[in-house]
Every structure is written in structure tokens, then in C-alpha cells.
Amino acid sequence: MLQKFLLTGLCMASISSIYSQDTLKVSSFKLSGSVDGYYRYNFNEPKSAPYNNYTSFTNSQNSFELNMASIKAEHSIGKVGFVADLGFGRRAEEFSYNDSKTMQVIKQAYVTYSPSSHVKFTMGKWATHVGYELVDAAGNRNYSMSYMFTNGPFFHTGLRTDFTFGKSGFMIGVANPTDYTTTTSTTKTLIAQFSTGTKDDKLKAYLNYQGYFGAKRMSPNASRLNQFDLVVLGTISPKFSVGYNGTIQTVKDEEAKQSKKWWGSAVYLNYDPTSAFGLTWRNEYFNDEKYGLKTIGGGADIFASTLSANIKIDNFRIIPEFRIDNASKSIFTKSNGNSSKGTAGFLLAAVYSF
């Protein structure tokens, strides 16, 4: 009896071991996160918000700010998986600005199904594919954001399909109106992306799209919207790389038969003399003077130049940053309340990620 009991126990342990090994082979779990904060000082010394800041996440003056604490869980088993990406703080609130209460905490939450290695279906809420910069400070070399990021889409909620073939890929999907997690609108947004690159990954390109038609003024005075966006990444050498982002958005009021547009273009020059130190110089031109869709004061063209250093200590980055913004109209303010076409500022950020 004792021998039979021991033999049965050994068999059960063996089966359990085999099952666990098989499970480990087909399942995975990853936990990551980040915390970022900053200090910003605008040399014009504005007295009120937005403190000469018309881009996302750095609306403060002469103050230390905690921007966002983020945690991301990813799990997959076999052909299915999920991602839950939570953010806490002002950065997360501005990202999900159409949401309220605990919904603002959810930066991304989606499930995936991959019937083959070339096809993946995704349903839920995810950060947009449009543009060069990311919502998480840990994913950017400049800490302050571009005008294109601020005025483009932040996220989409819907269903998408990704096809991959070697170095090329194609994505197409349908989603709620841009930046809406929930809506009663019958209008849906079409999203798409085509990506490709060289065999050595030294050159990559992404052509992005979002648009809708037949809506009832979803965007200011717009019932039709189209946005095309191009991102190009190039590696010149182990120490030097270049990024480019260009975007154009057109909106049309079909009832008034009037079309308007804004566009932007930015170049990112990255230089890393050592693994512990790097520089990024972003130069952006944002064109919105004719129609004033995205800038205040009846519209303005803006040129912004931002130089950021990245000092790396293990998982920790210190980012001192100097930025100059010049506009075609006096959209900035001085300490005495007078208006100005230009402004400059300094920012010191700290980012920890794992």
C-alpha cells in the first residue's frame, strides 16, 4: 500500500511538473513602470496659466512637479494576451482628458489574439500610432512635448488588425472618435499604418492615418477629418541617429463647404558620445496661422527649438533642457502682462523606469 501511494504521488508530481513546464513555454508575464517629475522656469516670468506653455504635460512655472507614476502589466498565453497600463498624476489626466474619475487612470487596456505569427487582432484602448513622441516620459529623449504631439491624437478605443511580413507591416482598424474611451456618437474613426525598414534596421519608416466623414461637427466646425503622418528613423552611426516627423490634418465643414488645415514638421538629432550621456536637439515648425485651429490668438505659426541632455545612471535619467519658442504673432506673455512673440525656458526632469 505504501509503495502504491508513493508511486502515485511520484506520478502526480511528474505530471504536474510536465504541465508546469508546458505552461511556462507558452505563457509570459512582464511588469514595467516609471515615475517622472520636473522643475520648469520660463524666463518671461508669466503670472498665470498656461505660463507660456502650449504643449502637453509641462504647464507650470517655478515649481517642482510630480508628473506621472505608471505601471504596466503584460501577460500572454498561447495565442491570446492582455495589456493593462495605468498612470497616476497630471500627465495621465491630460492624456485621458475626455474621461473622468478612475477612467483617467487607464492609459491603455486591451486584449489581443494572434491566430498566426503574421496576424494580430487588438481590442480595447491603446496609445495612438500617429506621431514620433510617446505619452510616457521614459520613451522620449526630450521631456517637453512637441506641438504636433499636443494637437494630434492621444489614443484610440476600438478594434484593429496588424499584419506583419518580414520588415514590413500594415495595420487597419476602426475606433471611437479620437481620444474618447466611451461615446454615444455613431461616428467612428478609421485608422491605418504602413511600416517598413531595411534589413539592418538602420532605416525605418511609418506612414500613419486617421480620419472620419459624415460626422456632425466632431472637431471644431468639422464633419470630415483626415490626418496623414510620417515618421522616419535613421541610424547614421552607433553614436548618431536622426528622427523625422511630419503631419498634416485637414478638416471640412461639409454644410458650410469650408476646408481648413494645420501641419507641422520636426527633426530630432540624437548624439550619444557615451552610454551614460546623450544629447537630443529637436527643431519643430508648426503652421496654424491661417485658420487658428490649434493655437490661441487667432492662429500662429510657431518655431520651437529644444536641446535636451540625457544623463543616465542605470535605470535613472536626469534631463536638463533648454527651449526657445518663437511665433508669428504675440501669443506669449511677459511678467508685466505685455504680449510677446517669443519665449524661452529651462526645465530639469528626472525619470526612473524599470
Side-chain angles (χ1 to χ4, degrees), residues 8-53:
T8 302
L10 288 171
C11 289
M12 292 298 294
S14 178
I15 292 172
S16 176
S17 176
I18 292 171
Y19 177 78
S20 298
Q21 290 174 5
D22 288 343
T23 302
L24 288 173
K25 289 179 181 178
V26 296
S27 66
S28 66
F29 177 77
K30 180 182 178 182
L31 187 67
S32 59
S34 64
V35 174
D36 68 281
Y38 72 96
Y39 169 85
R40 177 180 179 266
Y41 185 84
N42 185 263
F43 297 138
N44 284 25
E45 298 182 338
K47 301 302 182 182
S48 60
Y51 306 108
N52 287 337
N53 175 75

Side-chain angles (χ1 to χ4, degrees), residues 173-246:
V174 60
N176 288 343
T178 298
D179 297 344
Y180 278 88
T181 304
T182 179
T183 180
T184 58
S185 172
T186 57
T187 301
K188 295 295 179 282
T189 302
L190 176 67
I191 59 174
Q193 180 186 73
F194 174 74
S195 61
T196 190
T198 58
K199 291 183 179 181
D200 57 7
D201 287 330
K202 289 187 176 181
L203 184 64
K204 299 179 182 179
Y206 305 83
L207 181 60
N208 308 304
Y209 172 80
Q210 69 151 347
Y212 60 78
F213 62 90
K216 294 185 177 180
R217 301 179 183 271
M218 289 300 301
S219 182
N221 299 325
S223 52
R224 179 189 294 266
L225 181 146
N226 288 286
Q227 182 173 359
F228 292 92
D229 179 270
L230 176 65
V231 175
V232 180
L233 309 175
T235 301
I236 309 301
S237 71
K239 294 183 179 181
F240 186 66
S241 63
V242 179
Y244 171 78
N245 183 203

Side-chain angles (χ1 to χ4, degrees), residues 152-172:
F154 282 0
F155 64 84
H156 306 282
T157 305
L159 175 65
R160 59 183 280 182
T161 306
D162 291 82
F163 304 91
T164 57
F165 303 95
K167 294 295 182 179
S168 297
F170 179 72
M171 180 274 290
I172 189 167

Side-chain angles (χ1 to χ4, degrees), residues 130 148 227-230 244-249 262-265:
V130 176
M148 286 185 289
Q227 182 173 359
F228 292 92
D229 179 270
L230 176 65
Y244 171 78
N245 183 203
T247 195
I248 181 170
Q249 185 181 107
W262 64 266
W263 62 272
S265 188

Side-chain angles (χ1 to χ4, degrees), residues 26 29 65 71 75 92 94 100 107 128 138 151 166 208 210 234 263 304 315 324 336:
V26 296
F29 177 77
E65 299 284 332
I71 189 164
H75 184 267
E94 289 186 24
S100 61
K107 289 189 296 171
T128 186
N151 294 293
N208 308 304
Q210 69 151 347
W263 62 272
N315 290 19
I324 300 175
N336 59 9

